[in-house]
Amino acid sequence: WKVLAIAEELNAFDHQMKALWGLWVQCCNAGKFRAALELAMRFASVAERSADPGVALIGDRIVGYTLHFLGDQGGARTLIEKMLDRYPMAERRAHTVRFQFDQPVTTKITLAWIYWIQAEYPRRDCDRSSTFVGQRPRKIGVLDRVTVRGHEFG
């Protein structure tokens, strides 16, 4: 948090994004998705000021990813699909180094999860995710049903 405070004081946008990214990852890994959403939204706000339009889309991706884990599949899907539709593939390598992950691959994985939860995979033509996911399983482990925010799936 200290690094973020210093970066904000200095208006150092790149360092703000790096600090917010690290804090967001930490919250996600700890299962603190409400706190992660706040950090993702702050990241997205800072990222919009970047000269690199792909960074703003990464902001959309991390907000969408977090919304997915909070159960807002519709909101998550909108942001995730926007990221995939507009992402500048020429920046893929630089973003992988800068933000730890191959952004399009991570985004496609999240989209596949969303399709699965929304019961649109494999019924839907999933060009964006079919490379990464086989058929929708009939069971998850030993469970017949999964409940997400009061909705049963499976």
Side-chain angles (χ1 to χ4, degrees), residues 1-152:
W1 288 98
K2 230 177 190 181
V3 171
L4 177 59
I6 293 167
E8 288 174 337
E9 187 177 311
L10 297 173
N11 282 328
F13 299 123
D14 194 54
H15 292 292
Q16 287 177 42
M17 284 189 297
K18 288 177 184 176
L20 288 164
W21 176 270
L23 292 167
W24 173 78
V25 168
Q26 181 182 12
C27 284
C28 287
N29 288 342
K32 298 178 180 178
F33 291 104
R34 296 227 180 270
L37 181 60
E38 181 182 319
L39 292 164
M41 292 173 75
R42 285 176 67 186
F43 178 97
S45 177
V46 173
E48 285 181 7
R49 294 181 248 165
S50 174
D52 177 354
V55 173
L57 292 168
I58 292 169
D60 287 340
R61 182 190 76 76
I62 69 172
V63 171
Y65 177 91
T66 309
L67 289 173
H68 160 68
F69 279 98
L70 287 170
D72 181 358
Q73 304 310 317
R77 181 175 174 171
T78 297
L79 291 170
I80 294 296
E81 287 180 340
K82 174 184 170 187
M83 192 279 193
L84 284 175
D85 290 341
R86 298 180 184 171
Y87 186 74
M89 293 304 283
E91 299 300 321
R92 183 178 190 169
R93 191 168 267 236
H95 291 161
T96 300
V97 170
R98 191 171 176 194
F99 298 110
Q100 299 175 306
F101 304 106
D102 183 318
Q103 297 301 311
V105 171
T106 304
T107 305
K108 289 175 184 180
I109 291 166
T110 305
L111 186 59
W113 293 338
I114 293 166
Y115 285 164
W116 186 84
I117 288 171
Q118 292 181 329
E120 292 199 24
Y121 192 85
R123 188 171 43 112
R124 176 181 166 85
D125 177 18
C126 297
D127 290 336
R128 292 181 173 128
S129 61
S130 61
T131 306
F132 303 99
V133 180
Q135 291 194 345
R136 181 174 185 244
R138 298 199 188 283
K139 294 186 179 195
I140 301 172
V142 296
L143 302 175
D144 288 321
R145 296 192 180 278
V146 174
T147 303
V148 178
R149 291 187 71 176
H151 303 283
E152 281 195 359

